[in-house]
């Protein structure tokens, strides 16, 4: 496996291996299973596209409670920065009123995406809304968003791989790489 890769005139170095990601996802699944195991109603999982598609696919195969899987496509990032605005590119196709919802995100940077999506969902009167993210950058969002299940906290690095992209590419990398500064 490459220790570093060149992409769009930038160098990225290997940061979180596929093996470590496997362990992180298994631990998260254990926590989520423990929390939802006693719920009587089926849970609505909402994956935020595009970045979370690989994480979601790995996570749901480890879940043991009844659930349904839905997707929304939100966009807040342009190049390597948050634009400060969240655009809904593909809306939710399920009525969440009276349902328990778990939102699944790849990474929380400013927290804007999750915060605004949670706000949109809350308008539909769900019974509960919980947030799960594979990665979190607490130094950037300063806990403005209340995260319920977090895989790993990282410093404010720009990272790619395992679903995360640089201008649409590199999502397929099995390991996560960080920008070398
Ligand atoms: P937030 O709204 O600032 O929390 O940004 C969240 C979204 O921006 C995530 O869902 C990712 O799609 C994207 N994002 C945040 N940090 C990174 C990164 O380091 N690499 C690639 N995408 C990122
Ligand atoms: Mg995302």
């Amino acid at each position: 496996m490459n220790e570093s890769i060149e992409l769009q005139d930038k160098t990225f170095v290997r940061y979180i291996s596929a093996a470590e990601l496997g362990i992180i996802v298994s631990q998260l699944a254990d926590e989520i299973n423990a929390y939802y195991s006693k719920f009587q109603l089926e849970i609505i999982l909402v994956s935020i596209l595009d970045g979370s598609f690989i994480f979601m696919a790995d996570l749901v195969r480890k879940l043991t409670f009844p659930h349904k899987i839905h997707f929304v496509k939100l966009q807040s990032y342009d190049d390597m920065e948050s634009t400060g605005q969240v655009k809904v590119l593909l809306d939710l196709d399920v009525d969440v009123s009276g349902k328990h919802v778990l939102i699944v995100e790849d990474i929380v940077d400013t927290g804007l995406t999750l915060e605004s999506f949670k706000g949109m969902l809350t308008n539909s009167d769900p019974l509960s809304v919980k947030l799960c993210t594979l990665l979190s950058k607490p130094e950037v969002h300063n806990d403005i968003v209340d995260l319920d299940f977090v895989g790993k906290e990282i410093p404010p690095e720009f990272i790619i791989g395992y679903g995360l992209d640089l201008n649409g590419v590199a999502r397929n990398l099995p390991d996560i790489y960080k920008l070398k500064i």
Side-chain angles (χ1 to χ4, degrees):
M1 195 54 64
N2 290 339
E3 284 308 318
S4 81
I5 49 175
E6 305 291 324
L7 259 183
Q8 300 177 13
D9 300 326
K10 295 170 188 73
T11 303
F12 289 84
V13 290
R14 200 145 73 95
Y15 184 44
I16 309 175
S17 69
E20 189 185 343
L21 286 165
I23 294 167
I24 294 169
V25 174
S26 291
Q27 285 171 345
L28 264 179
D30 288 349
E31 270 180 60
I32 294 169
N33 283 330
Y35 181 78
Y36 286 110
S37 64
K38 307 247 161 25
F39 281 54
Q40 301 296 322
L41 293 173
E42 104 196 328
I43 311 301
I44 303 291
L45 302 191
V46 180
S47 164
I48 301 186
L49 296 173
D50 297 328
S52 69
F53 78 108
I54 291 183
F55 169 47
M56 182 71 171
D58 284 347
L59 180 73
V60 293
R61 282 178 288 174
K62 294 184 158 57
L63 299 183
T64 49
F65 54 87
H67 64 267
K68 281 187 176 159
I69 296 173
H70 291 268
F71 296 92
V72 286
K73 185 173 164 98
L74 306 178
Q75 196 182 53
S76 66
Y77 248 58
D78 187 26
D79 197 28
M80 296 200 294
E81 272 173 32
S82 173
T83 58
Q85 285 188 327
V86 180
K87 276 194 270 184
V88 179
L89 303 182
L90 178 74
D91 215 343
L92 196 58
D93 61 351
V94 62
D95 178 7
V96 297
S97 66
K99 305 272 172 63
H100 294 288
V101 181
L102 176 65
I103 302 174
V104 180
E105 176 63 305
D106 51 356
I107 186 163
V108 181
D109 183 53
T110 62
L112 182 76
T113 303
L114 272 189
E115 191 58 18
S116 73
F117 184 59
K118 190 178 178 181
M120 293 177 211
L121 271 190
T122 308
N123 291 334
S124 309
D125 288 325
L127 276 180
S128 69
V129 180
K130 296 275 174 195
L131 304 179
C132 164
T133 186
L134 175 67
L135 301 166
S136 168
K137 301 180 191 171
E139 284 170 56
V140 184
H141 59 75
N142 286 317
D143 297 324
I144 61 153
V145 46
D146 199 8
L147 301 172
D148 301 284
F149 306 99
V150 178
K152 185 182 172 84
E153 293 189 339
I154 62 167
E157 318 268 10
F158 182 78
I159 60 171
I160 56 169
Y162 197 70
L164 293 150
D165 71 308
L166 169 66
N167 296 317
V169 299
R171 294 191 195 275
N172 61 312
L173 298 173
D175 302 290
I176 285 182
Y177 291 76
K178 73 172 175 183
L179 180 68
K180 187 174 172 187
I181 308 168

